[in-house]
Amino acid sequence: MKSVIRCFFLITISVNCKLQSDVINLFDINSGVGQLLALTTYQSDVNDLQLKIKYSTNDYPSFVKTGVLEIDLNLPVAAEFRTEHFLISKNYENDLVIRDVIPISNTKIRILFISSVKANWNEDLTLTINHPDLKSRFNLLQNTFVFSFPKNRILGEISEEKSSVSVFPISDTKILLVGGINALGSVVPTVEIFDIESGFSTILPPLQQGLVGAKLCSPEPGIVYVTGGKTVPGNILQNSEISNQIYRIDSKQRTVTVLGLVLTEPRFGHSIVCLPGSRILVSGGQKSANNSISSVSNTHELVHLETSSIAYLNQSESFEYPKMNHEAIWNESDQSVYFFGGQNHPQPQLISNSVDNSVQRLNLSSWMTTRHPLNLSASKSQLFVHLDSSGDFLNFVGTLNDGIISRTIEVWNPVRGVADTIAFFDRLRRDSPVSRFSGNQYIIAGGLETYYKTSAIEIYDHSEGKVFTTGSLLFQRANHSVVLVRGGIAVLGDPSFAGKQVEYYGKN
């Protein structure tokens, strides 16, 4: 019988011709050729389809407020999506309705929603992608997005009822508390570490005297330095009521040490920045009790921790005018400290035009302080400034000339040459800090609205450029502290409603 000779050719695979009695089965996955064929077929026919949204784990999913969610794709299939390909979980099907899906490029889609006006979104929201055709053609890596919302709960209690506490996060679960004013109106020397996981405080040795308005910074993990502040709850009447002391707090060893070094000028309403090289920059502030411009400092002092020395910077490095209640931000990208706003008088409501709109820069390379040609869009003191990951300096609220309280959010960016008001908080309030909430989101919670304390929470999303009301604190508060911790914020202080209780608003 004549032998039949056959040859097999597939893509780049070639097999030597053999007699029919010795033919190889190319599709046998147990053979080396079969494994190669399977791998080659997968790589050539199946691509991974990735879907990506902007929200990180800790973000508030603001699309439920804006009605817009954008999804980035790694393949040019945006035109193939329709509204029927997206499903909202049943618990929100009446609160969030998909109106349209628009391809805004080959690799980006925009989903438009009709969203309810509810303030509190509590349960998790699920968005499922159900596209049978794409599933058959691609390896869809993720077809479900789960969005969680921050919730309120009580974490525990601090050691005593107090407000106006100087706070510093020494980790994402532990907060250092220094000084403050107790429920009787007395300034306290208490130092404690509150643990958000256990709900309890660890008491450290006290300061040598009660302090309020002390400024804190940390040059290395677990070590915090405390400078300045005042020893009275109200107006300063004597020079001795302003502190010139420097404390070193070791949170691991639980020690509080007053340094032999003292500030050359006592300071309250000053700024403090920890710089590379174990240095601390202390700037401006009220230095004496007389109620005039001469009681406010325009100097910087540089503390060298390694050599235990302290000295004024040169006159050329001083502020152009006296400055207190300003904000100082260290910008590592250009090795500079930026100083925003402030006031040149302890009581600016009595003196017209005493509030500043300047931005001054101290360059650590040249050690020169210069006034930047780009001013803030408004003169402000007691403002809160954050350096956003976009490179924008964002300044929030503050006090304008004549003591008027601001509710503005402003952007200042020297590279883009932008100084502008970009948004407003809904409520006009004072005595409330603005804290970072997540990567590009910032939160204001509580505060004093004219005559009444509020519990309202608002979040500003810088990627959206908008403000959203997202809920309420469990207690009305003012002169309280807000600290970024794991998954959200911890809120403490103001005993009138909350007592000693520490509240959490977040996702942890």
Side-chain angles (χ1 to χ4, degrees), residues 143-322:
N143 71 335
T144 301
F145 291 101
V146 179
F147 302 94
S148 59
F149 297 90
K151 301 175 181 63
N152 303 78
R153 61 186 172 92
I154 297 299
L155 292 173
E157 293 186 346
I158 55 177
S159 66
E160 59 194 335
E161 296 185 350
K162 53 190 171 184
S163 58
S164 301
V165 183
S166 297
V167 297
F168 193 90
I170 53 179
S171 73
D172 63 356
T173 60
K174 292 182 173 61
I175 307 167
L176 176 68
L177 285 65
V178 177
I181 302 173
N182 66 18
L184 300 176
S186 300
V187 180
V188 298
T190 312
V191 179
E192 60 185 292
I193 298 174
F194 180 79
D195 188 327
I196 71 169
E197 294 181 319
S198 69
F200 294 101
S201 273
T202 300
I203 305 299
L204 276 62
L207 306 174
Q208 289 188 345
Q209 56 189 341
L211 279 182
V212 63
K215 296 299 176 69
L216 285 58
C217 79
S218 177
E220 59 182 288
I223 305 297
V224 178
Y225 284 85
V226 181
T227 68
K230 62 178 182 175
T231 62
V232 293
N235 292 332
I236 297 168
L237 302 178
Q238 302 179 49
N239 292 349
S240 60
E241 294 171 346
I242 308 175
S243 175
N244 65 350
Q245 290 184 319
I246 305 173
Y247 291 90
R248 182 184 188 272
I249 299 175
D250 187 327
S251 62
K252 297 178 181 178
Q253 300 299 322
R254 301 181 182 179
T255 59
V256 178
T257 307
V258 59
L259 299 189
L261 294 174
V262 295
L263 297 174
T264 310
E265 292 179 342
R267 298 177 189 261
F268 168 74
H270 55 300
S271 64
I272 175 175
V273 178
C274 278
L275 300 175
S278 298
R279 297 171 295 177
I280 299 175
L281 182 70
V282 185
S283 308
Q286 185 176 354
K287 60 182 180 180
S288 61
N290 59 307
N291 193 19
S292 67
I293 292 177
S294 64
S295 67
V296 181
S297 174
N298 71 334
T299 64
H300 306 279
E301 296 185 54
L302 190 63
V303 182
H304 292 266
L305 299 173
E306 291 182 348
T307 60
S308 297
S309 60
I310 187 169
Y312 281 125
L313 296 187
N314 294 330
Q315 186 62 38
S316 62
E317 297 152 355
S318 298
F319 289 132
E320 183 180 6
Y321 303 105

